[in-house]
Amino acid sequence: YEGAEEENPVVVVVGNEADLLVMLITRADPYYNIWMMVETEPVTLYNIPELQKKHSREHRDLLIFLHCFTGCETTSAMYNKGKMTGYKCLMKLKPKKLEHLKVFTENNSNTDDVACVGERVVVQLYGAKPDTSVDKLRYLRYNNAIGNSSLSTNFKLESLPPTPAALQAHSL
């Protein structure tokens, strides 16, 4: 914003998409006083530089991955495992664990690494032990759901974690 008379001009971006908020948090220059206004009832304002300060550089870099992995316009979503569930999981991770997630943001990652880390992410999203496979997690969740339901209850297949093949495609 060259030639601005103010030293730190205020920029207000109006939108209602999570994509926009994530892009502003991860990519906006913290020098600018950028706000995002969401025209809901009541109107919501997000102070982008303040949100950037609340998150470490490592966490901010992974917000776009998280946004995509939990479902957006171009990727599928897992039943009842939305952005807030993913965000809470991401914020709990220690720096060493965050390093593994970089396979999703680096250009030279191989497909096996991406699939493996994608499985670890899903296991964490579903609250299982870290060494649990997705197949085992599906089996445990299915048995738990069937054990807790009556004959008249409809089981929701979509409530299970994705199959390994679906998860690999989703991760890639």
Side-chain angles (χ1 to χ4, degrees):
Y1 191 113
E2 288 188 63
E5 291 182 21
E6 293 182 46
E7 188 171 309
N8 195 4
V10 175
V11 177
V12 178
V13 178
V14 180
N16 63 356
E17 294 290 326
D19 310 54
L20 181 58
L21 180 60
V22 169
M23 286 188 281
L24 287 170
I25 293 170
T26 59
R27 301 290 183 242
D29 187 332
Y31 169 77
Y32 296 108
N33 189 5
I34 299 176
W35 290 73
M36 180 176 167
M37 182 173 80
V38 180
E39 295 180 304
T40 54
E41 192 59 45
V43 170
T44 306
L45 289 170
Y46 295 98
N47 182 331
I48 301 304
E50 285 301 315
L51 289 172
Q52 289 173 325
K53 288 177 192 172
K54 288 182 179 179
H55 297 87
S56 70
R57 180 81 238 160
E58 293 82 14
H59 283 108
R60 283 198 321 262
D61 287 345
L62 293 168
L63 286 176
I64 289 178
F65 147 74
L66 177 68
H67 176 70
C68 294
F69 199 83
T70 55
C72 63
E73 284 80 4
T74 57
T75 60
S76 57
M78 285 167 252
Y79 181 80
N80 209 22
K81 299 296 174 199
K83 303 210 178 305
M84 285 310 296
T85 303
Y87 178 79
K88 289 174 185 174
C89 287
L90 180 66
M91 292 300 114
K92 288 180 187 174
L93 291 178
K94 304 284 188 248
K96 183 179 176 185
K97 293 283 186 183
L98 290 173
E99 283 295 315
H100 298 308
L101 295 177
K102 288 187 178 179
V103 300
F104 292 106
T105 58
E106 294 173 345
N107 291 330
N108 60 350
S109 300
N110 72 51
T111 58
D112 290 338
D113 289 345
V114 170
C116 182
V117 175
E119 183 169 4
R120 297 297 96 221
V121 171
V122 168
V123 166
Q124 185 172 357
L125 283 174
Y126 281 84
K129 294 179 182 175
D131 60 343
T132 306
S133 71
V134 170
D135 273 335
K136 176 81 173 182
L137 179 58
R138 285 177 57 82
Y139 173 78
L140 293 171
R141 299 287 292 218
Y142 176 77
N143 279 337
N144 188 34
I146 295 301
N148 291 333
S149 63
S150 66
L151 291 177
S152 63
T153 305
N154 289 333
F155 171 70
K156 293 187 179 214
L157 188 60
E158 64 269 21
S159 67
L160 293 177
T163 64
L167 177 56
Q168 182 178 16
H170 179 83
S171 297
L172 295 174

